[in-house]
Amino acid sequence: MNSDEMEIIYETHKNTVYRTAFAYLRNSSDAEDITHDVFVKRFTTDITFENNEKEKAWLITVTANKCRNLFNSSGYRALISSVQIDDVNLIGETEMSSPVFDAVMKLPEKYRLIVHLYYYEEYKISEICSITGKNESAVQTMLYRARLKLKKILGKEFMV
């Protein structure tokens, strides 16, 4: 793979990978580190994809796995428990500075990724299952519970 191909892949998917990592970790520095690691893995792995969507799904899967690994590490948990991290205001993109996005960031970690993939990345439930390794009923249940929690957080002004 030459540098032009790498640049096209990076430019096409960098925002998706970053947003996914940020939705999982709620920390811009860690999301940037994960984004870097994901693209290093992409460019050092000899793999071809039949289309752009398959590549995007692979990148999101790798992102979710790297986030889980970081999140589950004892050093990271010790750091998070000792420091209050609130990077939501550091995000410059309009969709990531709305009351709804702020509410999504307040969800427990297990719901954030599912909500992000479903609403922000517009994946179908079956696609989320293959990305996360969860079965369809688990994803549906998590999405349902996340919606209930979002209704509580957002209040009546966001009820449709």
Side-chain angles (χ1 to χ4, degrees), residues 51-91:
N51 60 41
N52 196 31
E53 283 304 307
K54 297 276 186 190
E55 183 171 41
K56 180 179 175 183
W58 185 89
L59 289 167
I60 289 174
T61 301
V62 171
T63 302
N65 289 338
K66 287 191 174 291
C67 288
R68 266 192 296 276
N69 291 344
L70 177 64
F71 197 74
N72 290 329
S73 70
S74 60
Y76 186 77
R77 280 183 282 165
L79 175 67
I80 294 302
S81 65
S82 67
V83 177
Q84 179 72 20
I85 296 178
D86 183 17
D87 282 339
V88 174
N89 295 327
L90 299 177
I91 305 302

Side-chain angles (χ1 to χ4, degrees), residues 31-44:
E32 288 170 6
D33 290 344
I34 294 290
T35 300
H36 176 265
D37 292 348
V38 167
F39 282 103
V40 166
K41 181 168 181 149
R42 171 62 185 101
F43 298 140
T44 58

Side-chain angles (χ1 to χ4, degrees), residues 14-17 30 54 71 101 111 116 126 131 156 158:
K14 70 179 180 182
N15 290 334
T16 298
V17 170
D30 290 336
K54 297 276 186 190
F71 197 74
F101 183 79
Y111 300 126
H116 175 77
S126 60
I131 290 171
K156 290 183 180 180
F158 285 95

Side-chain angles (χ1 to χ4, degrees), residues 18-146:
Y18 175 81
R19 286 191 310 256
T20 302
F22 187 84
Y24 207 99
L25 301 169
R26 294 187 302 184
N27 179 290
S28 62
S29 297
D30 290 336
E32 288 170 6
D33 290 344
I34 294 290
T35 300
H36 176 265
D37 292 348
V38 167
F39 282 103
V40 166
K41 181 168 181 149
R42 171 62 185 101
F43 298 140
T44 58
T45 303
D46 188 25
I47 187 169
T48 55
F49 299 96
E50 46 188 86
N51 60 41
N52 196 31
E53 283 304 307
K54 297 276 186 190
E55 183 171 41
K56 180 179 175 183
W58 185 89
L59 289 167
I60 289 174
T61 301
V62 171
T63 302
N65 289 338
K66 287 191 174 291
C67 288
R68 266 192 296 276
N69 291 344
L70 177 64
F71 197 74
N72 290 329
S73 70
S74 60
Y76 186 77
R77 280 183 282 165
L79 175 67
I80 294 302
S81 65
S82 67
V83 177
Q84 179 72 20
I85 296 178
D86 183 17
D87 282 339
V88 174
N89 295 327
L90 299 177
I91 305 302
E93 297 180 42
T94 56
E95 73 212 28
M96 296 179 95
S97 58
S98 72
V100 175
F101 183 79
D102 292 345
V104 170
M105 289 296 103
K106 291 177 183 173
L107 291 174
E109 169 267 319
K110 66 182 181 180
Y111 300 126
R112 282 193 310 267
L113 182 62
I114 302 296
V115 169
H116 175 77
L117 292 175
Y118 188 79
Y119 288 106
Y120 290 92
E121 300 300 331
E122 299 178 347
Y123 277 102
K124 296 176 186 158
I125 289 178
S126 60
E127 296 169 320
I128 295 171
C129 293
S130 64
I131 290 171
T132 62
K134 297 184 183 323
N135 66 40
E136 192 167 322
S137 63
V139 170
Q140 289 174 334
T141 300
M142 292 172 79
L143 200 51
Y144 173 76
R145 290 178 180 165

